[in-house]
Amino acid sequence: MEEKLPKLLPAIKGTGFQMDGYHIWCGSLLKENGTYFLFAARWKKEKGFPGGYLTDSEIVLAATDDLNKPFVFQKVLIGKRDGDYWDSMMAHNPYITKIGDEYVLFYIGNPDGQAATRRIGWARTKDICGEWERSDTAIELPLDANNPCAVPTKDGVLLYYRDGTLKVSVAKAERYDGKYRILNDDLFPEAKIEDMFVYQTDNGYVMIAEDNDGYYTGLKKGGVVFKSEDGIIWDRKNTCRAYDFSVPYTDGSVIELQRRERPFLLFDGNRTYLFNAAKINGETMETGGDTWNMFARVEFV
């Protein structure tokens, strides 16, 4: 199964999405009527990185009509809510898709600020800028299911997720709000993988993900590309690197990120863009620093 490999072009300074006083993470988007809508997670920097997201992350909407300009904050879509809900405390890992005439946002939440109680649910609307209906119960998956990636198919929805040990699974439902059946509960048994983005091609499925321990790419937390004919069983031998931490800009300068995660591809006519959550200036690779959502144009070679 032959697929072209991604080649990243230089990024444009001042683009993407950032907010003073906040950590920005994740990043999932679509384009409607000439406007690019970005769904991102944010929490106040004073809460710390990365741990602050567990108690204070909320999902916000940002927009731009030109990717050469920065995204502008629009509003909070999913925040804390009163009551004993699966997502009462926080909302994180937004993944947007369109199913029929509905925009469906998959995300994770917890009721108590604990990693072990993270669950996946959804919110939906027919008007991106309007009101969103949140699911009152989480999808029935094992506890600590997170990092959702939903792929609509001709006969349902494939839902990829990982658990607290970074074991990746895939489940399927006839409807996004229906009952999910696990098809494969360990896609990459020899490695730790997270932040999956999956799309369909004429030949099957392609996944871009984070190679957390560097098993496939030799780069801890680097990007890796997998291929599959059916979206269930994945080729674990013929892989390649999708991205590293070096970001060249169109003005000739280069920055070295500490982390580059949460890949998401936007297919925009004859152009494709890779969006990532990015971090610099932290005390360590793991903690602190400044974070934002960045992107670079992709060519397939």
Side-chain angles (χ1 to χ4, degrees), residues 16-280:
F17 179 53
Q18 57 187 325
M19 294 187 73
D20 290 342
Y22 286 92
H23 282 299
I24 300 294
W25 208 242
C26 305
S28 174
L29 71 160
L30 46 73
K31 183 181 181 182
E32 290 291 328
N33 300 319
T35 299
Y36 300 90
F37 293 99
L38 176 68
F39 300 77
R42 76 169 189 182
W43 64 98
K44 291 183 178 180
K45 292 191 75 172
E46 63 196 48
K47 299 295 183 178
F49 180 92
Y53 90 87
L54 280 170
T55 56
D56 287 88
S57 179
E58 57 189 7
I59 296 172
V60 300
L61 179 67
T64 185
D65 59 2
D66 183 352
L67 290 179
N68 294 314
K69 302 176 183 177
F71 283 82
V72 177
F73 171 77
Q74 303 295 303
K75 64 177 181 178
V76 175
L77 286 183
I78 311 290
K80 297 179 185 291
R81 59 172 165 172
D82 294 333
D84 187 22
Y85 293 103
W86 66 277
D87 61 347
S88 293
M89 178 68 74
M90 69 87 172
H92 196 64
N93 285 169
Y95 191 96
I96 189 65
T97 188
K98 190 173 185 181
I99 301 176
D101 63 350
E102 291 184 307
Y103 302 98
V104 184
L105 181 68
F106 290 82
Y107 64 98
I108 68 169
N110 70 41
D112 54 10
Q114 303 299 310
T117 57
R118 291 177 294 189
R119 304 292 297 271
I120 296 172
W122 49 260
R124 62 187 174 194
T125 188
K126 293 186 178 181
D127 177 6
I128 292 176
C129 298
E131 295 298 316
W132 288 72
E133 176 191 359
R134 295 163 68 163
S135 54
D136 288 339
T137 57
I139 295 171
E140 292 185 13
L141 294 170
L143 272 175
D144 201 11
N146 59 88
N147 282 195
C149 167
V151 182
T153 67
K154 63 182 179 181
D155 59 353
V157 177
L158 291 174
L159 180 61
Y160 298 85
Y161 61 94
R162 61 95 163 169
D163 67 9
T165 66
L166 279 70
K167 182 181 77 170
V168 179
S169 303
V170 60
K172 186 174 184 178
E174 293 183 0
R175 285 181 47 87
Y176 71 85
D177 55 357
K179 184 175 179 60
Y180 284 80
R181 177 172 59 92
I182 297 174
L183 304 179
N184 184 344
D185 69 354
D186 196 355
L187 274 60
F188 311 104
E190 64 275 358
K192 293 182 178 181
I193 298 295
E194 61 177 331
D195 294 353
M196 301 74 63
F197 174 85
V198 179
Y199 64 98
Q200 289 182 270
T201 72
D202 292 339
N203 298 319
Y205 295 79
V206 177
M207 176 189 292
I208 298 180
E210 180 192 298
D211 187 8
N212 183 269
D213 55 4
Y215 182 89
Y216 298 107
T217 63
L219 178 65
K220 182 179 179 180
K221 289 185 174 292
V224 62
V225 178
F226 299 103
K227 292 173 283 188
S228 171
E229 293 184 356
D230 60 6
I232 302 170
I233 304 299
W234 291 80
D235 183 350
R236 310 197 310 272
K237 295 182 178 180
N238 300 299
T239 65
C240 69
R241 187 179 292 181
Y243 55 83
D244 56 21
F245 303 131
S246 181
V247 179
Y249 282 110
T250 52
D251 66 1
S253 62
V254 179
I255 61 169
E256 295 295 330
L257 302 175
Q258 289 179 307
R259 294 172 72 155
R260 185 178 192 175
E261 303 182 11
R262 304 296 298 162
F264 189 96
L265 286 181
L266 173 68
F267 300 98
D268 184 17
N270 62 357
R271 294 191 173 194
T272 302
Y273 300 92
L274 172 68
F275 283 75
N276 290 103
K279 181 176 96 73
I280 58 174

